[in-house]
């Protein structure tokens, strides 16, 4: 079959992917004797669609899994989706709302049926999009956090932790969403910068008629729930008030002044009002000092019956207005300052979150965290880059009780049942709970199940072992736990990575993964975070439609440097589409020149230096890729492949091979054809994990004719270091450097492309003379030189020069270019580059500019400065080369 003239991704990708999936090549081989390699896919939300963060995360995992699969490991990439409690419930509620139906109209059971219907119809969108990206997980093992197996695991984990005293019920502050009527996690809270006010309020001191304690607050409406005022123990201004009371304005409640280091003498007045039921910091201070906790809001964040009658039923905003008016009327506002502040909003409801005191289920995270901290300290789990371990330790060593209950209908309903007297029975099933209750009371007892569901992180925290069959002792669980690597973003180190570490160690006795690779963010081309409001979101599916999945994948991998955010632009993807085209054209060139693969080809028997050189370069490329992927340096792996494929195989080897293909030496021609076909095949193997579609398509065309193997199941190239021929490598490296320098000089000096220039080499040693003798024709052809002369006397007049090791190469340019005109042009370009560089240097040295400018703008300016510095060096070198002309 002849290769088409151009590579058309859309025609190839669907066909190749269907063939891969149908072949079963993605599947783990549980009964094989291969060494297992496991990656647990971070389960995307069932409501989700592919965004650029997913594309990066999934591409990196796919590169690793394809690489290890080809290296002979039993590779399991475990896929699945998360039920995404609050997000999914909102999607279905919105759909029902369009029909004029509320979930309360249906009742819990009927509503959940509707959610399952939606999941069956629409929940597979994200997995179909992952297929378009080329992801190769074991789809036959796909799990869902609400499937029956995971339900069983979640129930057992909850019951076991409860019976071990690690899950309990408590009244504490939570992030309460007044619109969705549920507690939410910190991850679901968005902090927004706003312009606010700082009100300085006067609290009368008990028994001292003309004395006031000034407190500063950004939320005057919460003063109705104040139960104390805190001052710093070393603050001399208030030492005489500690232990005394102040009178809470508008309420009349007498509240104590307490000494606590939380109060900052340098902030505001140094005295802080304490509202323990509506502020997380105040809650901790209140616990330390035994302050009363008065909840002043209902579930809608409206004022409840614990406040004076005139404020009851008001919203927070209306209450603030009323409170300030009343304080002003009583002359109890000292002053008002402008005050920038952050306010917490629910990421889905977009309403201000209220810290709310409520009864919830909690997990003793501090106890579970201790083994998880120790495991990372001992290196049983390693973070890459290592600096993320500090983030992990900071969170884990200061961990708070984990609120695991949510006031939703969609999710894992908490396996707890209450008797009429409030006693709780936690059990795996309703029948088990009923039996326990009947035994406890000595008679049949009516029970009511807890309506709350579990935080989604509780179920996804068990993902590494529940997906493998736990609590049953399955062959998969025994073989694939613990996993090898987790690839994830830094934003969920605490929310998910930490949860998995805690749960895995507690229930499995071992870490869930040996390595945690933390990838960076994908930003726009200017370094800005992508957001709908900015209008700079780039849809990966649009890029796949336009340029193909391989181009997008390679773009992401090529920029995935450790600790460095990715700047995504369509131009970059287009550039790597051109790289794919280059690979395709190289294969067509090989086909047209009768380079046919032979499965019996032996690279050790190659004799031609040109061929021994490209084989050695191939070996080095494979070594570089292996080393880079083992160290999770994805960008380095991509760079090594790009350099070999385009910079060495296409640009040099194929050019070197052309005269051989057209020559009369039959043996050299046959060997070069065989080597070229073999190297192309090996290159496709190395490229496959990064660009699976085009490499598989080309492999079908260039593989040995009696072979039906696929790259998907092929062995990773096993290339012995002995295949590197040091002399061939050094010789061809010299030839390439010389041709490259001559080409660069010709460009710098504006030498016409068709002009033939002589090369004169002075002070050439024996090795250089041998190289000229052996490769002279090649050099003349590719450097567009009419002849090469080796001299020992005076260099020619009017010549530009290049230093090549011990020798100097002269290019006589008199009569070929206008030397005076070229000097003037280069000097002008140099002056321009110097001026631009100086302008940017001044800007970056200006403290006002640096303090006010967006970090992305500063980075852009530094990049431009580097460009002008390179230009200065280039023009300076060109002028130096002209010096002797």
């Amino acid at each position: 079959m002849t290769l088409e003239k151009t590579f058309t991704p859309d025609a190839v990708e669907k066909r190749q992917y269907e063939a891969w999936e149908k072949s079963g090549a993605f599947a783990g081989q549980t009964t094989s004797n291969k060494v297992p390699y496991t990656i647990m896919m971070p389960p995307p939300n069932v409501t989700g669609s592919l965004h650029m963060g997913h594309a990066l995360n999934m591409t990196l995992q796919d590169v690793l899994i394809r690489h290890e699969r080809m290296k002979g490991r039993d590779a399991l990439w475990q896929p699945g989706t998360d039920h995404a409690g609050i997000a999914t419930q909102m999607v279905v509620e919105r759909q029902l709302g369009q029909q004029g139906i509320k979930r309360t109209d249906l009742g819990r059971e009927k509503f959940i049926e509707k959610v399952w219907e939606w999941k069956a119809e629409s929940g597979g969108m994200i997995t179909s999009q992952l297929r378009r990206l080329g992801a190769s997980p074991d789809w036959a093992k796909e799990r869902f956090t609400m499937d029956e197996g995971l339900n069983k695991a979640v129930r057992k984990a909850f019951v076991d932790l409860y019976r071990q005293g690690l899950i309990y019920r408590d009244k504490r502050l939570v992030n309460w969403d007044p619109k969705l009527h549920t507690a939410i996690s910190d991850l679901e809270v968005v902090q927004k910068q706003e312009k606010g006010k700082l009100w300085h309020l006067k609290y009368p001191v008990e028994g001292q008629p003309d004395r006031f304690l000034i407190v500063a607050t950004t939320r005057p409406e919460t003063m109705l729930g104040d139960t104390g005022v805190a001052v710093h123990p070393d603050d001399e201004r208030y030492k005489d008030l500690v232990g005394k009371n102040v009178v809470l304005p508008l309420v009349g409640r007498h509240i104590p002044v307490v000494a606590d280091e939380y109060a900052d003498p340098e902030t505001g007045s140094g005295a802080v009002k304490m509202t323990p039921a509506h502020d997380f910091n105040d809650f901790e201070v209140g616990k330390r000092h035994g302050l009363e906790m008065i909840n002043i809001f209902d579930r809608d964040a409206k004022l409840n019956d614990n406040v004076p009658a005139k404020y009851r039923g008001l919203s927070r905003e209306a209450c603030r207005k009323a409170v300030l008016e009343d304080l002003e009327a009583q002359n109890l506002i000292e002053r008002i300052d402008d005050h920038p502040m952050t306010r917490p909003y629910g990421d889905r409801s977009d309403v201000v979150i209220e810290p709310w005191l409520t009864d919830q289920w909690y997990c003793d995270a501090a106890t579970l965290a201790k083994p998880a901290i120790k495991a990372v300290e001992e290196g049983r789990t390693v973070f890459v880059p290592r600096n993320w371990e500090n983030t992990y330790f900071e969170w884990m060593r200061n961990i708070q009780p984990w609120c695991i209950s949510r006031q939703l209908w969609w999710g894992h309903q908490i396996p707890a049942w209450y008797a009429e007297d409030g006693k709780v029975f936690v059990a795996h099933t309703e029948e088990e709970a009923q039996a326990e209750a009947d035994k406890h009371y000595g008679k049949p007892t009516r029970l009511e199940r807890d309506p709350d569901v579990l935080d989604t992180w509780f179920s996804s925290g068990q993902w590494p072992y529940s997906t493998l069959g736990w609590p049953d002792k399955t062959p998969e669980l025994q073989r694939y736990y613990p996993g090898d690597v987790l690839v994830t973003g830094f934003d969920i180190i605490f929310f998910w990575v930490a949860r998995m570490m805690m749960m895995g160690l507690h229930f499995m006795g071992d870490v869930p993964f040996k390595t945690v690779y933390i990838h960076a963010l994908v930003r726009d081309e200017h370094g800005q975070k992508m957001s709908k409001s900015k209008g700079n979101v780039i849809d990966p599916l649009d890029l796949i439609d336009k340029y193909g999945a391989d181009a997008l994948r390679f773009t992401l991998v090529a920029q995935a440097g450790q600790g460095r955010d990715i700047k995504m632009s369509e131009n970059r993807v287009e550039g790597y589409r051109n790289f794919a085209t280059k690979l395709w054209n190289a294969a067509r060139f090989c086909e047209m020149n009768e380079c046919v693969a032979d499965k019996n080809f032996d690279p050790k028997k190659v004799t031609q230096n040109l061929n021994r050189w490209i084989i050695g370069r191939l070996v080095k490329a494979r070594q570089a890729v292996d080393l880079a992927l083992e160290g999770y340096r994805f960008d380095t792996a991509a760079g090594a492949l790009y350099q070999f494929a385009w910079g060495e195989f296409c640009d040099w080897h194929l050019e070197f091979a052309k005269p051989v293909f057209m020559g009369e030496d039959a043996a050299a021609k046959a060997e070069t054809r065989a080597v070229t076909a073999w190297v192309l095949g090996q290159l496709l193997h190395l490229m496959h994990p990064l660009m699976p579609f085009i490499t598989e398509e080309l492999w079908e065309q260039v593989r040995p004719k009696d072979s039906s193997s696929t790259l998907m199941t092929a062995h990773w190239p096993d290339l012995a270091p002995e295949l590197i021929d040091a002399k061939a490598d050094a010789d061809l490296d010299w030839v390439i450097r010389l041709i490259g320098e001559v080409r660069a000089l010709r460009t710098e000096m504006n030498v016409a492309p068709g002009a033939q220039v002589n090369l004169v080499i002075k002070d050439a040693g024996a090795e250089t003379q041998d190289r000229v003798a052996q490769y002279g024709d090649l050099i003349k052809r590719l450097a567009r030189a009419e002849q090469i002369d080796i001299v020992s006397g005076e260099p020619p007049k009017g010549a530009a020069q290049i230093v090549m090791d011990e020798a100097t190469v002269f290019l006589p340019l008199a009569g070929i270019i206008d030397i005076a005109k070229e000097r003037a042009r280069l000097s002008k370009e140099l002056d321009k580059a110097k001026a631009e560089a100086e302008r940017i240097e001044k800007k970056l040295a200006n403290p006002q500019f640096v303090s006010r400018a967006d970090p992305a703008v500063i980075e852009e300016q530094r990049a431009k400065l580097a460009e002008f510095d390179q230009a200065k060096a280039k023009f300076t070198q060109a002028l130096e080369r002209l010096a002797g002309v």
Side-chain angles (χ1 to χ4, degrees), residues 424-446:
V424 64
F425 295 90
V426 172
H428 298 91
T429 64
E430 186 172 2
E431 292 74 23
E432 186 183 337
Q434 189 68 58
E436 286 183 18
D438 293 349
K439 182 179 179 182
H440 175 78
Y441 292 105
K443 61 179 181 179
T445 306
R446 182 177 172 277

Side-chain angles (χ1 to χ4, degrees), residues 176-468:
W176 183 259
D177 190 312
K179 181 178 179 181
L180 302 179
H181 296 148
T182 181
I184 61 174
S185 72
D186 289 344
L187 189 65
E188 295 159 314
V189 176
V190 178
Q191 300 291 342
K192 294 186 181 181
Q193 293 285 337
E194 297 182 357
K195 293 179 180 178
K197 301 285 186 185
L198 189 66
W199 286 272
H200 296 257
L201 309 180
K202 296 153 71 172
Y203 284 25
V205 176
E206 183 183 48
Q208 300 183 41
D210 297 322
R211 189 177 180 188
F212 299 93
L213 184 55
I214 308 300
V215 300
T217 180
T218 59
R219 298 193 66 198
E221 69 277 10
T222 63
M223 66 170 292
L224 301 175
D226 284 3
T227 59
V229 174
V231 297
H232 195 277
D234 298 331
D235 196 330
E236 294 293 336
R237 293 172 293 177
Y238 306 120
K239 277 198 170 182
D240 67 314
L241 290 180
V242 174
K244 295 181 180 177
N245 292 333
V246 294
V247 180
L248 182 62
L250 310 182
V251 179
R253 189 164 55 244
H254 290 226
I255 58 177
V257 178
V258 299
D260 196 282
E261 291 186 351
Y262 168 67
D264 181 0
E266 304 300 320
T267 301
S269 66
V272 189
K273 61 189 277 309
M274 290 290 110
T275 319
H278 296 289
D279 183 277
F280 289 101
N281 292 314
D282 294 3
F283 179 78
E284 295 301 326
V285 176
K287 280 200 305 179
R288 287 197 289 271
H289 297 279
L291 299 180
E292 189 179 359
M293 300 198 181
I294 301 175
N295 194 344
I296 63 170
F297 294 117
D298 64 15
R299 71 177 200 152
D300 297 312
K302 291 183 177 179
L303 280 293
N304 63 19
D305 291 346
N306 290 330
V307 300
K310 72 170 293 185
Y311 307 114
R312 292 172 190 170
L314 295 179
S315 68
R316 289 171 289 186
E317 294 76 16
C319 181
R320 174 179 296 184
K321 183 181 178 185
V323 163
L324 290 172
E325 286 174 354
D326 292 345
L327 288 170
E328 182 69 35
Q330 295 181 31
N331 195 29
L332 293 176
I333 301 178
E334 172 87 357
R335 72 174 194 274
I336 305 169
D337 298 332
D338 289 331
H339 185 73
M341 58 185 292
T342 58
R343 294 180 84 192
Y345 284 77
D347 66 345
R348 292 184 175 86
S349 64
D350 200 33
V351 300
V352 177
I353 296 306
E354 186 61 50
W356 201 45
L357 192 62
T358 180
D359 290 310
Q360 301 282 350
W361 286 94
Y362 288 88
C363 185
D364 182 357
T367 297
L368 292 175
K370 288 174 185 173
I373 293 169
K374 188 178 180 184
V376 176
E377 287 175 337
E378 294 175 348
R380 285 185 282 152
T381 292
V382 175
F383 281 74
V384 179
R386 290 297 288 262
N387 61 288
W388 287 112
E389 291 179 5
N390 296 328
T391 302
Y392 173 84
F393 288 138
E394 176 66 23
W395 280 334
M396 294 291 271
R397 289 168 181 159
N398 296 284
I399 200 165
Q400 297 296 309
W402 172 17
C403 177
I404 57 174
S405 48
R406 299 289 182 267
Q407 290 64 55
L408 302 170
W409 284 358
W410 172 245
H412 296 277
Q413 192 170 352
I414 290 173
W417 287 261
Y418 298 95
E420 290 180 357
D421 63 2
K423 182 171 176 58
V424 64
F425 295 90
V426 172
H428 298 91
T429 64
E430 186 172 2
E431 292 74 23
E432 186 183 337
Q434 189 68 58
E436 286 183 18
D438 293 349
K439 182 179 179 182
H440 175 78
Y441 292 105
K443 61 179 181 179
T445 306
R446 182 177 172 277
L447 294 179
E448 188 170 328
R449 187 168 186 178
D450 193 310
D452 288 356
V453 300
L454 287 162
D455 174 17
T456 53
W457 299 108
F458 189 85
S459 52
S460 58
Q462 298 169 62
W463 188 251
Y465 55 86
S466 63
T467 50
L468 299 174

